[in-house]
Amino acid sequence: MGQAIVLDPVSRKRSLDRIAMLDNSPSPSLSEVARCHHIGLATFYLYCPDLCQIIVERYKHYRLLRRLEVIQQGCLEVQHIVPQLYAQGINPTLKNIRQFMAKPSALWKKEVVDAFWEARRSVENA
């Protein structure tokens, strides 16, 4: 079975301070941190609830920023690709622009699809 890890208050505080001050990019998830330190999640939650909360909040913030970056990049690509395809006489459909995108999975985001339709309307009305 696994080893029982007992953290005395001093080492718990030291670990909390050390990990809380780290500014890893990308922020690791709680399960990644636990796996790295060979600690089970339940044990981690039991002995370091404050640290767990900090790690979870950082990871949520990282995921939100990453999502916004993907959306922004996807919108920029769509706005760039749609006029190019239209100028080449290719119908700018989602299927056609997907081939030219760096991250075609961005088309799963509603904001990117909205940007696609807006770019398509502006090109067709011009």
Side-chain angles (χ1 to χ4, degrees):
M1 294 279 187
Q3 297 176 344
I5 296 180
V6 178
L7 298 176
D8 61 81
V10 174
S11 36
R12 177 179 166 200
K13 176 71 173 148
R14 200 174 312 130
S15 292
L16 178 67
D17 291 341
R18 188 171 5 137
I19 294 175
M21 293 174 76
L22 289 176
D23 189 20
N24 294 350
S25 186
S27 291
S29 68
L30 185 60
S31 55
E32 288 175 301
V33 173
R35 195 172 29 251
C36 255
H37 296 309
H38 307 289
I39 302 172
L41 278 177
T43 305
F44 205 14
Y45 275 119
L46 179 66
Y47 290 105
C48 303
D50 299 335
L51 177 58
C52 289
Q53 189 62 34
I54 289 170
I55 293 169
V56 166
E57 290 302 318
R58 279 190 183 166
Y59 188 68
K60 277 185 190 176
H61 182 71
Y62 162 74
R63 295 296 302 163
L64 175 67
L65 289 178
R66 185 69 188 116
R67 181 180 188 282
L68 294 174
E69 287 173 7
V70 167
I71 289 170
Q72 183 181 23
Q73 181 64 32
C75 289
L76 290 173
E77 285 186 40
V78 163
Q79 291 168 354
H80 182 72
I81 294 170
V82 168
Q84 285 182 341
L85 291 180
Y86 195 77
Q88 294 172 7
I90 300 171
N91 189 15
T93 61
L94 288 172
K95 181 180 177 183
N96 289 339
I97 68 167
R98 175 173 275 120
Q99 300 168 8
F100 299 100
M101 293 183 69
K103 291 194 181 248
S105 61
L107 289 171
W108 288 102
K109 308 290 187 225
K110 180 187 181 309
E111 297 87 347
V112 178
V113 173
D114 290 345
F116 162 74
W117 287 112
E118 183 61 35
R120 186 171 168 147
R121 274 191 295 273
S122 69
V123 165
E124 289 173 351
N125 291 337

